[in-house]
């Protein structure tokens, strides 16, 4: 497939063109590789682990408030950050930091975030897990062009380099310089995150730094005796690779187009594990309970997180919440399997360790340096801890399968001719694969050939079954991303509420997403 056809096919099929421009690895080879992704090695000597302190992203302050709404401003900008000790890395950032600043919101209060794009590339912002009107959901061609761009001239010339396909794309909305995203806050407390969602370029956008936390609180959560304050810590896990000069290394298919080179079509894995933007950090903790909000913000890497050593008696990681907020009751785990975009809120009681113990957080799915994540150093000082994990956390409405008005099936597969597809179709903006009615409940059945974390915009869902059996150990509560292993089928129940419009269903392996594994659905 030549570049001319790549830019014009189906008005805007980014991924299909990128896949068609290179040879597609065989299914046998991808299956033989097991878990998704291919390692992109760094080109410099990596620092020793556990040498830097864990940073915690700053909380963004509103620029003003009124009776209903908190107003925030974020400038998307280039920044040179010291990620690896002694080196500077140019990053694409929200507000000059990676991760971006944390937005802390309250359920029932509206949040308006004004984004200004001072990057050299267009951007789109998606609040992942947000229950959001379509106009603020971050549809992948709702572009914010860089400040000073001439939208009319770019359209006449075919757009910015690599963005020619947007000139005729529909139903996207393009603005120059600024866009305000409005989030009503009509959902329960949860660990959300925001990230770039530009069609064909989400992978490099997130890889270069465009990600941040958005934490939502409510009265139900506040009434519980869970750890809080400095013992409530968001942890963004993200693997990256670096060039010899300290810059981010990423295997783009070409300098100005979407997609990756052939060897990395199944996802890009880095050999440096960053936690909140720091390589293999350490954190001194009291002998007390901590709430750890794990977010997998990696492009493709899976994690199986364990504490080493495990505390006596097991259940080291007590899960209290997931993508969509609190569970009904806590679930004890010895390990957590976390796919890209999933969140797990857990409580760890470091009082179960002797003073002075060093506890490593390890990734059993990783090898070599990617097997280490961070280290907790248990303090020798005596502290008080009045926190607890109640046996009952929340009441969750159980969706009724009998109320479902229809069952829809979505096949996530690699096509030899079209790359990564849903229902054998590469992504095309404006082509809806489903049109659910507002207020109805449906069963959506996802099945896969290889490994795909499936993400649904607008509404959280409940996992109904996995391969015709009960949900898995990590499927509890409200979810917005569900991890599907090769040849799996998962059924979920979803009720479409509040907002009509066009939304997205896609794989959250970002290289799969960029290379066409997305679909529109329209709530009518």
């Amino acid at each position: 497939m030549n570049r001319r056809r790549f830019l014009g096919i189906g008005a805007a099929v980014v991924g299909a063109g990128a896949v068609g421009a290179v040879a597609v690895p065989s299914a046998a080879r991808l299956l033989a590789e097991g878990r998704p992704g291919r390692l992109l090695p760094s080109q410099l000597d990596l620092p020793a682990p556990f040498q830097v302190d864990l940073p915690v992203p700053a909380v963004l302050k509103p620029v003003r408030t009124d009776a209903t709404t908190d107003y925030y401003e974020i400038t998307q900008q280039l920044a040179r950050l010291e990620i690896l000790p002694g080196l500077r890395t140019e990053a694409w950032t929200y507000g000059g930091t990676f991760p971006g600043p944390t937005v802390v919101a309250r359920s029932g209060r509206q949040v308006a975030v004004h984004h200004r794009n001072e990057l050299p590339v267009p951007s789109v912002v998606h609040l992942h897990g947000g229950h959001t009107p379509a106009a603020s959901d971050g549809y992948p061609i709702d572009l914010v062009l860089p400040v000073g761009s001439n939208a009319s001239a770019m359209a006449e010339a075919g757009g910015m380099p690599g963005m020619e396909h947007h000139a005729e794309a529909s139903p996207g909305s393009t603005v120059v310089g600024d866009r305000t995203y409005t989030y009503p806050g009509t959902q329960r407390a949860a660990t959300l995150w925001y990230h770039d969602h530009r069609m064909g370029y989400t992978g490099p956008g997130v890889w270069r730094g465009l990600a941040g936390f958005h934490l939502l609180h409510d009265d139900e959560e506040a009434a519980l005796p869970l750890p809080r304050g400095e013992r409530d810590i968001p942890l963004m896990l993200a693997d990256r690779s670096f060039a010899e000069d300290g810059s981010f290394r990423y295997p783009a298919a070409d300098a100005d187009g979407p997609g990756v080179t052939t060897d990395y079509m199944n996802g890009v894995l880095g050999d440096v594990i960053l936690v909140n933007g720091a390589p293999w950090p350490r954190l001194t903790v009291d002998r007390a309970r901590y709430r750890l909000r794990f977010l997998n913000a990696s492009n493709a890497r899976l994690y199986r997180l364990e504490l080493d050593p495990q505390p006596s008696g097991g259940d080291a990681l007590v899960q209290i919440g997931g993508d969509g907020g609190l569970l009904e009751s806590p679930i004890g785990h010895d390990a957590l399997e976390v796919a890209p975009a999933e969140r797990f809120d857990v409580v760890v009681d470091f009082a179960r360790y002797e003073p002075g113990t060093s506890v490593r957080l390890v990734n059993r799915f990783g090898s070599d340096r990617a097997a280490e994540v961070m280290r907790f150093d248990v303090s020798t000082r005596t502290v008080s801890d009045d926190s607890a994990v109640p046996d009952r956390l929340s009441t969750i409405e159980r969706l009724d399968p009998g109320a479902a008005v229809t069952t829809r099936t979505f096949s996530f597969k690699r096509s030899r001719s079209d790359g990564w597809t849903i229902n054998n179709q590469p992504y095309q903006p404006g082509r809806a694969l489903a049109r659910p009615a507002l207020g109805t409940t449906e069963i959506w059945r996802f099945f896969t050939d290889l490994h795909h974390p499936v993400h649904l915009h607008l509404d959280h869902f409940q996992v109904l079954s996995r391969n015709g059996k009960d949900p898995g150990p990590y499927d509890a509560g409200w979810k917005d991303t569900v991890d599907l292993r090769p040849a799996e089928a998962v059924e979920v129940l979803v009720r479409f509420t509040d907002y009509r419009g066009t939304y997205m269903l896609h794989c959250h392996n970002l290289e799969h997403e960029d290379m066409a594994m997305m679909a529109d659905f329209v709530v009518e």
Side-chain angles (χ1 to χ4, degrees), residues 283-299:
L283 175 68
T284 298
V285 294
D286 295 326
R287 295 187 70 239
R289 296 178 187 86
Y290 281 73
R291 178 177 182 172
L292 306 178
R293 300 172 182 256
F294 289 118
L295 158 64
N296 182 352
S298 298
N299 282 32

Side-chain angles (χ1 to χ4, degrees), residues 123-124 135 139-145 169-176 179:
S123 68
V124 175
Y139 190 72
I141 55 174
D142 282 352
L143 299 176
V144 182
L145 301 180
S170 177
S173 167
T174 296
V175 297
V176 175
R179 186 191 295 274

Side-chain angles (χ1 to χ4, degrees), residues 258-336:
V260 290
T261 57
T262 305
D263 287 344
Y264 293 93
M265 286 179 51
N266 199 25
V268 184
L269 306 180
D271 55 5
V272 177
I273 304 298
L274 304 177
V275 184
N276 292 349
W280 303 289
R282 65 193 177 200
L283 175 68
T284 298
V285 294
D286 295 326
R287 295 187 70 239
R289 296 178 187 86
Y290 281 73
R291 178 177 182 172
L292 306 178
R293 300 172 182 256
F294 289 118
L295 158 64
N296 182 352
S298 298
N299 282 32
R301 182 176 291 280
L302 300 170
Y303 295 85
R304 182 178 172 87
L305 300 175
E306 293 185 13
L307 296 180
D308 184 16
Q310 291 271 345
S312 176
D315 289 345
L317 305 168
V318 179
Q319 185 186 358
I320 60 170
D323 298 343
L326 291 171
L327 306 182
E328 283 188 327
S329 301
I331 301 174
H333 300 283
D334 292 325
L336 283 176

